[in-house]
Amino acid sequence: MGWIGETVDSIKSLRIRQVLTQAVSLGMIVTSALIIWKALMCVTGSESPVVVVLSGSMEPGFKRGDILFLHMSKDPIRAGEIVVFNVDGREIPIVHRVIKVHEREDTGEVDVLTKGDNNYGDDRLLYAHGQLWLQRHHIMGRAVGFLPYVGWVTIIMTEKPIIKYILIGALGLLVITSKD
């Protein structure tokens, strides 16, 4: 029983070490991703440096599933620029083009009006009740680049959560079997 008991204890010890190693590795990956995200936020000046286009309102320029890279500088916003903005009362940011810029004479602040390239009218119906213009604090950033179709992964996992769980399960199984 002594040799068998020691062997069983040795195997349990290895399993615990493998689980701890996997947990530490996962923690390092998550921490690295957060550090990279925070660094991108600092470099780009945007609270969300990467966004996925979720609708067809900007076609043909940007299609659903495209990933946009954002940058927010102190430069004044101009008509024709594509911006990503938040509207009070809505959780999901919107990607549209600036069609009008209005500078307030009394404060010098700039207000903007936006419109989706594929939409008939401006975005005033999308803004908060009674809001006619977007102020600078609504704007998350300007589009400075894009990757076509890469955002479909995010869209599919959001719209069909079962795919996300299957993918996580498959990755977990892969990690477990690769350690043996």
Side-chain angles (χ1 to χ4, degrees):
M1 176 93 170
W3 178 78
I4 294 175
E6 287 176 14
T7 305
V8 169
D9 288 342
S10 175
I11 291 171
K12 285 182 181 177
S13 173
L14 284 175
R15 294 269 184 214
I16 291 171
R17 285 184 189 153
Q18 285 178 342
V19 169
L20 287 175
T21 301
Q22 289 175 357
V24 168
S25 296
L26 179 63
M28 290 175 60
I29 290 169
V30 170
T31 302
S32 297
L34 288 172
I35 290 170
I36 291 168
W37 185 259
K38 288 294 185 180
L40 281 172
M41 287 173 63
C42 291
V43 169
T44 63
S46 175
E47 64 189 74
S48 183
V50 178
V51 295
V52 176
V53 178
L54 298 176
S55 75
S57 67
M58 284 301 292
E59 288 184 6
F62 297 119
K63 294 179 176 46
R64 188 168 192 245
D66 290 353
I67 288 184
L68 298 182
F69 300 100
L70 306 183
H71 186 269
M72 192 63 187
S73 65
K74 300 290 181 192
D75 296 335
I77 297 166
R78 294 191 162 50
E81 289 184 311
I82 296 169
V83 296
V84 176
F85 60 92
N86 278 320
V87 174
D88 299 332
R90 290 182 180 237
E91 292 181 25
I92 299 174
I94 299 170
V95 179
H96 281 175
R97 187 178 306 276
V98 175
I99 58 170
K100 283 187 184 176
V101 177
H102 173 71
E103 185 174 345
R104 296 185 199 171
E105 291 182 18
D106 54 344
T107 62
E109 291 181 27
V110 174
D111 298 331
V112 298
L113 179 63
T114 56
K115 175 188 174 297
D117 289 354
N118 201 22
N119 295 349
Y120 292 110
D122 62 41
D123 289 342
R124 287 187 171 144
L125 293 175
L126 296 176
Y127 300 163
H129 182 69
Q131 182 179 359
L132 299 177
W133 300 88
L134 294 174
Q135 286 78 42
R136 189 164 188 96
H137 71 274
H138 291 110
I139 297 174
M140 297 170 56
R142 300 174 169 119
V144 294
F146 78 103
L147 279 173
Y149 308 112
V150 179
W152 270 105
V153 173
T154 303
I155 293 171
I156 289 169
M157 287 195 297
T158 302
E159 291 180 356
K160 308 237 186 277
I162 189 71
I163 303 283
K164 179 175 25 179
Y165 300 128
I166 291 170
L167 183 62
I168 290 170
L171 288 174
L173 189 60
L174 182 65
V175 168
I176 289 170
T177 57
S178 68
K179 295 289 183 175
D180 291 340

